[in-house]
């Protein structure tokens, strides 16, 4: 007897219901022929139904078995994922061992076909951890089979330390259902396409609500600073990032910067319609250049909507550590942090990012720039700039700089004032004018697609105009061309010293560029609803808009990418060196906020003003040295877009 179709049903299902279920199965409906007698239905109990059904050699399942019918949600019923594809394959390494491979809406299950009890050799891979899948022909022309490889980055235990980190896993299978190599390649492409699409539809959730769209990047411009950190950014790119982009089928162009402000000039003049995302591989300084280059364009409103990506390649890597933290992952550093951020880049999830406008009044002409990370004066700024001499030790330079500065603790005189978040919210409800005319809502909800238009995207969160862009609709086996565009004559080009050769600031931006409705000119007193700090002696003043100050310093644990807040910290004079050291040690886990230190003050604000009285001092914006003098800042909620989770 030749079975015409199969259908698995739960135990206890009435026979009549089981028969009707088989009658409606795609496999039966597409295979039934006119028979002189009525078909016979046989119910066979399966001890391990998820193991699938073995298909006799030479028999191919109907082509439409994996297609969905009008019945809603066929692939997921009663909390159980239904199998969409099933097959038995060998691997590239060995053709003697066969594996049963099944694909559901959420998982890829691989089980070695053996006489051992079921479950021992079964491995389940969550599609949420998958960055891509591709099909390809073998190098051996005599091999009629085809292959498909799926690339996963699940969390696994570290080898040498506690905790987990994302680690690469490749699953490669050989398809040889017949002697026709073209049919085998088509079947491999069908699997690769189904796995890739299933991975793209796995969207992250927070509190049960999907907060971001999923879309593959189409064209990525990747800017890399070869001198950041220990000077290993280029080798880290070729060792990790390049392979991940290839696995995710992300075409990209690499630009190696050759001087300070090269990236700023490039994005200011570039035709951004050629790119769907700008990715920075460096420390936080190169992203600072890119953000301000975009805001200096005439079409800044559209330009700043270009999704930005960050790959850690410097010393601080604060934004990269913050993105990793927002994803709910355990703290990691170095190459593990790079793999984590590379994974988020390949997944292509786009969210909103707050920017803070910073106005400087010390120069002959007032300057205005935009910041995504921090504004620092005093101890933190001193450590950031003075530790440049220890750059060769990587992230440890900040630890060395902190100890050196603790040995000769300084006190800074100045006047600090700020607008509390509560006062700003009350002011916004009492007027018809929004606080930030150029920004969107500061709530955690995703803004409307019409809030910020973008020339190449009609989706508010995706890179492209549809769920899967044109280039990713190509066959998963299609090779992705990587164009390397090197603007640097030598990787040993002279390194700019931030403490000596300061980056030139653009002239004051026009009022049309995200106007600061909460600020008044620096030569005027602050409004009456502002809070003026009575103390005038400080050890440090730190304004944070992200969670991390560096890879291992969680300065503002409650901060998020688009909360529309500035987390203002200041430490008053009189604190002992030992207490200050304990605060920084507690900052590794964000516990300094709850340390009940009388010298530490934390306030959530929308705007601030700092007027230093000391003749000499250091002020940094996103870790970059700026002119010393009066400064004020205002947050603009959700002004930019960032590739994050």
């Amino acid at each position: 007897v030749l079975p015409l179709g199969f259908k698995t049903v739960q135990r206890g299902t009435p026979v009549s219901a089981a028969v009707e279920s088989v009658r409606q199965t795609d496999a039966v409906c597409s295979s039934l022929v006119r028979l002189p007698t009525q078909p016979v239905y046989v119910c066979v109990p399966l001890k391990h139904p998820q193991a699938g059904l073995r298909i006799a050699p030479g028999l191919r399942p109907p082509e439409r078995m994996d297609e969905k019918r009008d019945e809603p949600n066929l692939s997921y019923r009663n909390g159980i994922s239904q199998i969409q594809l099933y097959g038995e394959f060998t691997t590239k390494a060995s053709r003697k061992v066969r594996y049963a491979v099944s694909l559901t809406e959420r998982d890829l299950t691989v089980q070695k076909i053996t006489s051992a009890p079921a479950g021992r050799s079964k491995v389940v891979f969550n599609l949420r951890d998958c960055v891509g899948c591709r099909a390809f022909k073998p190098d051996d022309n005599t091999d009629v089979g085809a292959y498909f490889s799926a690339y996963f980055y699940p969390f696994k235990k570290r080898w040498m330390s506690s905790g987990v980190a994302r680690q690469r896993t490749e699953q490669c299978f050989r398809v040889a259902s017949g002697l026709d190599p073209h049919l085998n390649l088509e079947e491999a492409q069908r699997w690769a396409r189904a796995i890739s699409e299933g991975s793209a539809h796995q969207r992250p959730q927070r509190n049960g609500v999907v907060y971001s769209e999923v879309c593959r990047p189409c064209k990525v411009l990747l800017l890399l600073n070869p001198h950041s950190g220990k000077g290993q950014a280029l080798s880290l790119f070729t060792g990790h990032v390049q392979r991940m982009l290839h696995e995710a089928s992300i075409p990209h162009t690499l630009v190696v910067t050759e001087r300070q402000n090269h990236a700023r000039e490039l994005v200011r003049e570039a035709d951004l319609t050629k790119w769907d995302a700008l990715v920075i591989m460096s420390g936080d300084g190169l992203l600072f250049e890119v953000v301000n280059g975009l805001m200096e364009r005439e079409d800044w409103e559209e330009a700043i909507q270009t999704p930005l990506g960050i790959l850690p390649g410097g010393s601080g890597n604060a934004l990269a550590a913050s993105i990793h933290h927002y994803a709910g992952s355990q703290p990691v550093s170095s190459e593990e942090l790079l793999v984590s951020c590379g994974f988020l880049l390949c997944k292509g999830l786009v969210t909103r990012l707050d920017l803070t406008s910073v106005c400087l009044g010390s120069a002959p002409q007032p300057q205005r720039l935009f910041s995504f990370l921090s504004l620092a004066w005093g101890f933190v700024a001193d450590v950031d700039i003075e530790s440049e001499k220890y750059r060769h030790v990587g992230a440890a330079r900040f630890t060395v700089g902190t100890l050196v500065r603790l040995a000769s603790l300084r006190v800074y005189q100045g006047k600090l004032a700020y607008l509390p978040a509560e006062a700003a919210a009350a002011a916004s409800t009492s007027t018809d004018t929004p606080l930030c005319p150029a920004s969107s809502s500061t709530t955690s909800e995703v803004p409307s697609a019409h809030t910020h238009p973008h020339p190449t995207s009609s989706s508010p969160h995706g890179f492209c105009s549809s769920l899967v862009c044109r280039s990713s609709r190509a066959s998963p086996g299609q090779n992705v061309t990587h164009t390397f565009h090197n603007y640097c004559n030598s990787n040993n080009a002279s390194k700019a010293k931030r403490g000596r050769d300061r980056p030139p600031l653009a002239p004051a931006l026009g009022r049309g560029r995200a106007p600061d409705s909460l600020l008044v000119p620096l030569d005027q007193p602050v409004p009456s609803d502002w809070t003026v700090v009575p103390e005038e002696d400080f050890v440090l003043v730190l304004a944070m808009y992200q969670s991390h100050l560096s890879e291992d310093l969680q300065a503002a644990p409650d901060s998020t990418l688009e909360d529309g807040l500035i987390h203002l910290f200041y430490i008053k004079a009189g604190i002992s060196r030992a207490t200050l050291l304990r605060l920084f040690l507690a900052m590794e886990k964000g516990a300094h906020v709850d340390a009940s230190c009388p010298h530490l003050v934390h306030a959530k604000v929308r705007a601030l003003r700092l007027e230093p009285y000391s003749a000499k001092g250091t002020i940094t914006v996103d870790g970059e040295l700026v002119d010393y003098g009066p400064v004020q800042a205002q947050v603009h909620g959700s002004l930019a877009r960032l590739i994050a989770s």
Side-chain angles (χ1 to χ4, degrees), residues 91-111:
T91 63
K92 191 175 182 179
S94 174
R95 300 185 187 180
K96 297 181 180 180
V97 181
R98 296 184 62 83
Y99 293 86
V101 183
S102 59
L103 177 67
T104 68
E105 181 183 16
R106 300 183 177 184
D107 304 305
L108 180 72
T109 302
V110 180
Q111 186 167 9

Side-chain angles (χ1 to χ4, degrees), residues 41-114:
Y41 299 94
V42 180
C43 295
V44 181
L46 298 178
K47 184 177 181 181
H48 304 289
Q50 291 299 325
L53 299 169
R54 297 191 64 179
I55 301 176
L59 292 181
R60 290 174 53 92
E63 295 295 333
R64 299 169 59 202
M65 284 187 66
D66 62 318
E67 294 182 1
K68 294 183 179 180
R69 284 305 195 186
D70 295 335
E71 184 177 353
N73 207 13
L74 282 175
S75 61
Y76 191 74
R77 299 179 186 168
N78 301 324
I80 302 176
S81 296
Q82 304 298 315
I83 295 177
Q84 297 177 343
L85 286 179
Y86 174 82
E88 294 183 7
F89 311 108
T90 59
T91 63
K92 191 175 182 179
S94 174
R95 300 185 187 180
K96 297 181 180 180
V97 181
R98 296 184 62 83
Y99 293 86
V101 183
S102 59
L103 177 67
T104 68
E105 181 183 16
R106 300 183 177 184
D107 304 305
L108 180 72
T109 302
V110 180
Q111 186 167 9
K112 184 177 180 179
I113 299 177
T114 177

